[in-house]
Amino acid sequence: LLLPVFMKAQSWSISRWDKVNTLTKVSAITSNDAFAIGHDKSVNFLLRTRDGGNTWDSIFFEPKNPSGLCFPDKNHGIITIGSEFNGIFKTTDGGNSFEMIEVDTSTGVAGFAAGYNTYYSPYFIDSQKGFISCTKDNGGIYKTLDGGNTWTKQPLEFKAYDIYFQDINNGFASGRDANYIGVVMKTSDGGKTWSNTLNIPQYNDVD
């Protein structure tokens, strides 16, 4: 959904331009440190800059269809995969290596829904505390306090496609309700309860 929003900026410059590749998500930690995920026709990749975008390292990332990216600091990061290849991947060395946080493809461990068309949106406050939204079936918000080793599911009455948390309690989510009305929701108790801040009828989600 595109809304008429007027934004003022001093100036914009191209940090990286790719003729063939598609870049889908970006996570910036400082003015110098940032990560982006993308793909070409055959492979996925993670891009990393340490100098404000002047140069980028390209890191091959094998799992297909990355759907989410969040780096709370320059060493710790989460990449989520949404599709039949769904999964959650964690790095503690700035993207040099990743380990998969296991998700059972039939039942889903720790309450995770699993299977084709599972979409995850991650947001981590620091290396240990974070949230992931899931839209499969009834969906929900999943919360971890130990870097993703264990998760607690908090059911939702709407599907959250994107989330942002200011701290462990206060956050926002955009998505749609059961009637396909776009919503922006707000929580002040870590995702246990949500209040509506915006409705957009006849659209699937609000970003």
Side-chain angles (χ1 to χ4, degrees):
L1 170 64
L2 297 178
L3 295 176
V5 177
F6 295 92
M7 300 182 67
K8 182 178 180 180
Q10 295 291 331
S11 63
W12 292 88
S13 61
I14 296 175
S15 177
R16 180 183 174 102
W17 183 82
D18 285 3
K19 184 176 181 180
V20 177
N21 300 326
T22 299
L23 304 177
T24 57
K25 299 286 183 179
V26 65
S27 181
I29 304 98
T30 69
S31 59
N32 288 319
D33 300 287
F35 297 82
I37 52 175
H39 61 85
D40 62 16
K41 293 182 179 180
S42 58
V43 299
N44 302 289
F45 50 83
L46 174 70
L47 299 176
R48 176 181 60 195
T49 182
R50 300 296 198 199
D51 57 9
N54 293 317
T55 60
W56 293 83
D57 300 324
S58 183
I59 304 169
F60 175 66
F61 187 74
E62 184 175 3
K64 295 181 179 180
N65 301 323
S67 59
L69 170 72
C70 184
F71 275 78
D73 60 53
K74 64 181 182 180
N75 292 317
H76 298 85
I78 293 285
I79 293 179
T80 54
I81 307 298
S83 72
E84 69 272 30
F85 307 101
N86 76 85
I88 304 166
F89 294 82
K90 173 183 175 182
T91 181
T92 58
D93 58 10
N96 293 320
S97 62
F98 282 86
E99 63 173 323
M100 182 176 181
I101 299 175
E102 295 293 337
V103 177
D104 189 303
T105 56
S106 60
T107 61
V109 298
F112 276 103
Y116 187 76
N117 266 356
T118 299
Y119 298 104
Y120 296 130
S121 176
Y123 195 88
F124 272 65
I125 300 160
D126 56 36
S127 63
Q128 299 299 306
K129 298 186 290 292
F131 300 83
I132 287 180
S133 67
C134 174
T135 62
K136 177 70 174 180
D137 299 325
N138 293 326
I141 293 283
Y142 298 83
K143 178 180 179 180
T144 182
L145 299 175
D146 57 11
N149 294 319
T150 59
W151 298 84
T152 302
K153 180 180 180 181
Q154 299 173 159
L156 297 177
E157 295 182 355
F158 65 99
K159 290 193 174 184
Y161 289 93
D162 198 14
I163 57 175
Y164 168 80
F165 277 80
Q166 297 168 296
D167 53 46
I168 198 63
N169 292 315
N170 298 286
F172 291 85
S174 63
R176 65 170 174 83
D177 65 14
N179 297 314
Y180 287 83
I181 294 177
V183 295
V184 175
M185 308 292 287
K186 180 180 180 180
T187 182
S188 58
D189 56 11
K192 293 179 182 178
T193 61
W194 296 82
S195 59
N196 190 303
T197 67
L198 178 67
N199 286 332
I200 304 293
Q202 300 178 357
Y203 289 92
N204 285 348
D205 67 339
V206 180
D207 288 327

